[in-house]
Amino acid sequence: MSTPSRSLSLAGASNFRDLGGYIGHDGRPVRWRTLFRSDHLAALTPDDQAELARLGLARAFDFRGVHERAAGAYEIPGVTLHALPIEPTVVQRMKDLLVAGRALTPQQTVVLMQETYRAFVNDNAAAFAALFEHLLASDAPLVFHCTAGKDRTGFAAALILLALGVPRPVVMQDYLLTNELLRMDSAPAYGIPPEVMQVLWRVQAEFLDAALHAVDTDHGGVDAYLQRELGLSPVALRQLGTLYLQR
């Protein structure tokens, strides 16, 4: 059997990809065509929607904030939408700094991104816990996304893969795939300097490492974080594997 393609190459969502095939607990691969991550879905073409219908996509989980969703609202026939907002966005934080007269450099942007990722861990656990509740409720094919599908979505993907037993180096490889897929021409400038946008609109290992370091140092490691902050008992984690790892 041929291996499915990881990127779906949709016309209206450049960073839409499958988490299947990575090896998790007990050497069992993550199921293909079940767990998808993406950038925003407001620009899907009719052909894109037909492809998602063919795949049986049933659920979409949107980490965008209220204004982001209003500016890029969408509906997909047959797909139930769930809002799991995580705010403020890093773009909003940068816009606030510019309004306040702060100069932004690429180096400062890296630091800001690291702070943002640590906030995912310590301030936004409720949104990620809600995602896992939905994951455990059904194994119907789903996609989770934000605007670019790289930061909020990237950390969510890392948590899911780690919970399924995928090794950290492989999780990082999946995270960095955004740099190969996300189309920069979809990035609004917001008055942010181009050299800063080059940092903002890509991912770096240092960003995800900042989150995982916070998981380790502030919460005692991935297993402890999943259990104490996201409410995933050992029984729930086994159920997650039953649902999303090949049998």
Side-chain angles (χ1 to χ4, degrees), residues 41 59-70 72-74 79-87 124 126-134 143-146 152:
L41 304 175
R59 304 177 286 169
F61 300 95
D62 189 347
F63 293 123
R64 295 179 301 167
V66 173
H67 295 298
E68 288 175 284
R69 291 200 309 276
Y74 68 91
V79 176
T80 302
L81 309 183
H82 302 270
L84 302 175
I86 294 176
E87 298 184 280
N124 301 119
F128 298 113
L131 176 64
F132 275 98
E133 287 182 16
H134 287 288
V143 61
F144 54 96
H145 73 93
C146 49
R152 291 163 288 188

Side-chain angles (χ1 to χ4, degrees), residues 193-241:
E195 65 274 15
V196 170
M197 286 300 299
Q198 285 292 330
V199 177
L200 180 64
W201 218 245
R202 293 176 64 80
V203 292
Q204 297 183 22
E206 290 84 355
F207 302 165
L208 184 57
D209 278 340
L212 296 180
H213 183 71
V215 167
D216 290 339
T217 59
D218 298 345
H219 300 279
V222 171
D223 290 343
Y225 182 75
L226 292 172
Q227 183 167 340
R228 296 171 192 164
E229 301 302 320
L230 303 191
L232 294 169
S233 68
V235 171
L237 286 171
R238 286 194 294 272
Q239 177 65 8
L240 197 71

